[in-house]
Amino acid sequence: MAASVDTETPTKIYDLEGEDFFQRFNLKTVKSLGRGMSGEVFLVKSKSGSGRMLAVKKFSLSEDVRERSLRQFSTEAGVMQAVTHDHLVPCVMAARCHDYAVIAMPYYPRGDLVELGRQQEPRRVNRYMSHVTRALDQLHRHNIAHNDVKLENVFLDRADRAHLGDMGLALEVKDESRTALAGVVGGTRGYWSPEKLEADTRDRIDPFKCDVYALGVMYWALLSGEDPEEGIDYLGKVRAAKNLNLSSSQRSTLERLLEPNPLERPTSSQVVKMMKIK
């Protein structure tokens, strides 16, 4: 398995002040792939017709959003360049222009896990979750919580392999307790863990265990076909479900991912072992 981390090397960002990224690298926009909180993603290709298609996330640097966009751009580019893994979306290139910044990434033609549609076959779901768990564990080993694990942030390549992306909310945890203020532990509300839902913004919680819980919510959503919602007793749903067609080990893994008590919930490294990932 190819995996590496380089936290000592400064993030490589092209400074294109006064230039246009797309003109500089002879690229043309094919279509918009979607818009998120931090920017819009475009499918681009070379004007010459050669080379691979890329997905380019464009961050607006207009005055009203400049500070937030620069923070998210720097975080995402930095994490993508510092931590690499077969199942993490890589950064092909990052650049900052006068009024926007961009991150170029591989294009995943099969889209994200939301685009799969409803209830999926358990063996296929387990394979996707094994890919994401390995990627998540690689981040956690270097004290980085993804902080927004969800279906929309996992992408499928042509070989049906899953890749975890969108690092704009990633959180580097430097405290020896491996906790962070609940107010900076982010994510999408439907994937929030019980401790995140109950915490005051000044409380300290474990963002790595929050990532693991979100992984469990994603696992359940693919198996059940239900959309994630805030405040759901997911563990109760799993235990009550009789038609999931899971092996005993798969059901046990899912139940442990969705354990409400973070002290009883496994780490990503433990989940890797539970899923018998080599």
Side-chain angles (χ1 to χ4, degrees):
M1 174 176 60
S4 63
V5 62
D6 183 3
T7 56
E8 301 302 321
T9 302
T11 303
K12 174 62 178 176
I13 297 176
Y14 286 92
D15 183 359
L16 300 181
E17 184 69 29
E19 295 187 73
D20 177 75
F21 170 80
F22 299 92
Q23 290 183 358
R24 169 72 178 272
F25 294 101
N26 198 35
L27 300 170
K28 66 178 180 179
T29 299
V30 177
K31 64 178 180 179
S32 172
L33 294 174
R35 179 183 294 274
M37 179 180 68
S38 57
E40 189 167 4
V41 181
F42 297 93
L43 177 63
V44 305
K45 66 178 182 179
S46 171
K47 291 180 180 179
S48 68
S50 61
R52 59 177 169 167
M53 305 276 264
L54 295 171
V56 173
K57 180 182 284 190
K58 186 175 181 180
F59 301 75
S60 171
L61 298 183
S62 60
E63 286 301 320
D64 57 329
V65 297
R66 186 179 187 86
E67 183 177 349
R68 186 192 70 188
S69 292
L70 274 176
R71 183 171 61 249
Q72 292 181 331
F73 164 71
S74 298
T75 295
E76 187 158 9
V79 171
M80 293 175 76
Q81 292 185 16
V83 186
T84 63
H85 187 275
D86 285 347
H87 294 289
L88 284 171
V89 174
C91 172
V92 175
M93 184 188 305
R96 179 176 169 179
C97 303
H98 175 67
D99 56 359
Y100 69 90
V102 295
I103 296 175
M105 304 163 279
Y107 169 54
Y108 296 98
R110 301 194 60 195
D112 60 39
L113 291 184
V114 173
E115 296 178 41
L116 286 178
R118 290 299 176 183
Q119 195 169 3
Q120 300 296 310
E121 191 273 323
R123 289 182 61 185
R124 187 183 191 193
V125 174
N126 195 63
R127 179 161 50 81
Y128 292 154
M129 292 303 97
S130 74
H131 297 164
V132 177
T133 301
R134 279 183 273 182
L136 195 61
D137 187 49
Q138 178 71 354
L139 290 172
H140 289 187
R141 285 175 179 272
H142 298 284
N143 301 318
I144 297 171
H146 183 279
N147 219 18
D148 198 19
V149 175
K150 60 181 178 179
L151 296 169
E152 292 91 332
N153 289 340
V154 179
F155 306 91
L156 299 176
D157 64 19
R158 295 185 186 277
D160 204 34
R161 294 174 300 213
H163 303 265
L164 180 62
D166 203 336
M167 309 293 176
L169 294 180
L171 180 64
E172 184 178 8
V173 180
K174 298 181 179 179
D175 193 283
E176 290 184 2
S177 69
R178 287 178 65 82
T179 63
L181 293 173
V184 299
V185 177
T188 300
R189 294 186 70 91
Y191 295 80
W192 279 6
S193 63
E195 64 270 23
K196 166 65 178 176
L197 285 167
E198 296 169 4
D200 181 80
T201 56
R202 303 299 298 177
D203 291 339
R204 299 194 72 87
I205 60 177
D206 185 335
F208 304 104
K209 293 292 186 75
C210 291
D211 273 355
V212 170
Y213 188 87
L215 182 69
V217 174
M218 189 163 62
Y219 200 155
W220 165 257
L222 289 173
L223 288 171
S224 66
E226 297 180 7
D227 293 330
E229 295 182 31
E230 181 182 334
I232 298 295
D233 177 12
Y234 287 112
L235 182 57
K237 278 181 166 286
V238 172
R239 288 175 173 170
K242 306 300 181 184
N243 61 342
L244 292 181
N245 195 30
L246 293 174
S247 69
S248 59
S249 63
Q250 289 172 336
R251 182 179 288 272
S252 174
T253 297
L254 181 55
E255 289 181 359
R256 292 199 62 193
L257 291 173
L258 295 171
E259 166 60 51
N261 182 352
L263 297 177
E264 299 293 329
R265 196 180 306 143
T267 65
S268 57
S269 293
Q270 289 171 327
V271 179
V272 167
K273 293 177 182 177
M274 289 161 57
M275 299 184 80
K276 297 182 173 62
I277 301 166
K278 305 300 183 183

